Amino acid sequence: MRWNNQTRPSEFILLGLSSRPEHQKPLFVLFLIIYLVTLMGNLIIMLSIYLDVHLQTPMYFFLSVLSFVDICYTTVIIPKMLTNFLSEAKTILYSECLSQMYFFLFFGNVDSYLLGAMAIDRYVAICNPFHYITIMSYKCCVLLLVISFFIPFLHSLLHVHLMNQLTFCASSVIHHFFCDLNPVLKLSCSSTFVNEIVIKTEGPFVIMVPFMCIIISYLRIFTTVLKIPSAAGKYKVFSTCGSHLTVVILFYGSVTYVYLQPLTSNNVKDWIATVIYTILTPMLNPFVYSLRNKDMKQGLGKLIGRIKPQLRGFYAKS
């Protein structure tokens, strides 16, 4: 293993989910299927929204961006995982590790801010329906989108910059399947005090901003729903929020479990929770939104209706 000025290795070794040789090919097949399903599912959601005029509303605008970010999010992690499953070295260059860390933090936080923006959209639609078009205007949507990308950009840049200031003169083996903050911090032989302070202060603040938007929005939504006299009316309102709420619980539940653990924690439960919010949630999002949302079902039906004649024409020519 080569070292640069005795301060950092030229590369790290990612141990992955399992070090047993007999597990590598089955894990490769499993995560390849998950990755392909994630790509196809989110691309179909994006196409359905783009092609259906009835779905070109603020809610589905944010959903299409969320689908795009989910594709990027999983692409940051899974391709390298797949390569390492079939490789004996399982190495990742130091620069590649920091890049992976940056984009993982960036897209992960963009995900949470988009979920917050979608919660605000649902709050306005349910609690202020007559002013919905005015409040959720094009400018408002663009502003929420800019915030959703700008804050994670600064957040990720800060953490990667601080990480790059550390020295690594001990082990170069990362006990994880990608370059996350805590596993890499454990390898540093210099003081990580500043990094840990930032993780415990700035990190929760950045994460809590969209989370508080979601909590406040849903408290107002539940208050409004309780005032609706009919059970059918309550169900109709809740059905418009069910998909979003399911995704929020999956994402924030697993993220909270992992990042509330102490820095020294490194067990199977942490890995499972990490797999849920980094890999499984982006894969499940298209299914949650398409199966629980009437408008999305209609949009998917229209997309299938457009594709079928083209496929028939293709097979007829061949």
Side-chain angles (χ1 to χ4, degrees):
M1 183 67 67
R2 302 188 307 276
W3 293 76
N4 179 17
N5 298 328
Q6 299 300 314
T7 61
R8 60 178 69 100
S10 60
E11 57 189 24
F12 289 111
I13 298 171
L14 290 167
L15 283 188
L17 294 172
S18 175
S19 58
R20 295 185 178 182
E22 65 270 21
H23 291 168
Q24 303 308 303
K25 288 185 179 179
L27 285 172
F28 173 84
V29 173
L30 173 63
F31 283 97
L32 177 61
I33 293 170
I34 289 173
Y35 185 52
L36 293 176
V37 170
T38 302
L39 292 180
M40 290 300 297
N42 284 289
L43 282 173
I44 288 170
I45 291 290
M46 292 167 64
L47 279 173
S48 299
I49 293 170
Y50 177 76
L51 294 173
D52 192 341
V53 178
H54 300 291
L55 295 180
Q56 292 175 12
T57 62
M59 175 183 175
Y60 296 108
F61 165 72
F62 288 122
L63 177 57
S64 64
V65 178
L66 181 68
S67 293
F68 171 74
V69 170
D70 280 343
I71 289 174
C72 297
Y73 192 35
T74 52
T75 301
V76 169
I77 298 170
I78 297 183
K80 186 61 182 178
M81 281 180 67
L82 296 175
T83 303
N84 284 347
F85 284 139
L86 301 180
S87 171
E88 292 184 6
K90 302 186 186 303
T91 57
I92 181 169
L93 295 174
Y94 176 80
S95 57
E96 190 181 352
C97 183
L98 289 189
S99 298
Q100 187 184 57
M101 185 183 297
Y102 173 82
F103 286 109
F104 160 72
L105 292 171
F106 174 69
F107 288 120
N109 279 281
V110 171
D111 244 14
S112 66
Y113 274 80
L114 287 173
L115 291 173
M118 292 169 78
I120 293 171
D121 173 79
R122 290 299 83 206
Y123 157 69
V124 176
I126 293 168
C127 301
N128 295 286
F130 298 111
H131 299 93
Y132 178 75
I133 296 175
T134 306
I135 297 172
M136 295 303 296
S137 62
Y138 176 78
K139 288 183 179 179
C140 179
C141 291
V142 170
L143 177 62
L144 288 172
L145 192 63
V146 169
I147 292 171
S148 297
F149 278 83
F150 185 67
I151 295 177
F153 164 75
L154 294 178
H155 167 77
S156 307
L157 197 63
L158 172 63
H159 283 280
V160 172
H161 172 71
L162 290 174
M163 185 68 70
N164 197 37
Q165 305 308 305
L166 300 177
T167 57
F168 299 88
C169 49
S171 173
S172 60
V173 178
I174 300 174
H175 293 267
H176 209 31
F177 57 91
F178 68 98
C179 291
D180 199 0
L181 280 174
N182 288 352
V184 178
L185 276 178
K186 293 177 188 177
L187 304 182
S188 175
C189 57
S190 58
S191 174
T192 60
F193 177 76
V194 175
N195 301 70
E196 291 182 45
I197 289 295
V198 171
I199 288 172
K200 292 175 181 177
T201 54
E202 184 269 352
F205 174 77
V206 169
I207 292 172
M208 287 303 293
V209 169
F211 186 67
M212 289 308 298
C213 287
I214 293 168
I215 294 295
I216 293 169
S217 296
Y218 274 103
L219 284 175
R220 298 295 299 272
I221 288 170
F222 289 146
T223 304
T224 303
V225 169
L226 290 175
K227 295 177 182 178
I228 300 174
S230 67
K234 290 179 180 179
Y235 175 79
K236 185 178 180 181
V237 172
F238 272 124
S239 65
T240 65
C241 303
S243 302
H244 178 258
L245 200 54
T246 303
V247 172
V248 166
I249 292 169
L250 277 171
F251 182 82
Y252 276 101
S254 51
V255 167
T256 303
Y257 178 84
V258 171
Y259 289 100
L260 286 182
Q261 301 293 321
L263 184 61
T264 55
S265 175
N266 183 36
N267 54 54
V268 176
K269 290 182 180 179
D270 291 349
W271 284 14
I272 292 171
T274 305
V275 168
I276 288 173
Y277 81 83
T278 58
I279 296 172
L280 293 184
T281 300
M283 182 190 73
L284 293 173
N285 283 357
F287 295 99
V288 171
Y289 277 102
S290 60
L291 294 176
R292 294 180 59 89
N293 190 296
K294 184 179 177 181
D295 292 333
M296 276 307 307
K297 286 180 182 177
Q298 292 176 349
L300 289 172
K302 290 179 181 179
L303 177 63
I304 293 168
R306 290 190 178 193
I307 293 173
K308 277 184 177 179
Q310 295 177 5
L311 288 175
R312 287 172 185 169
F314 173 78
Y315 285 121
K317 290 179 181 178
S318 60

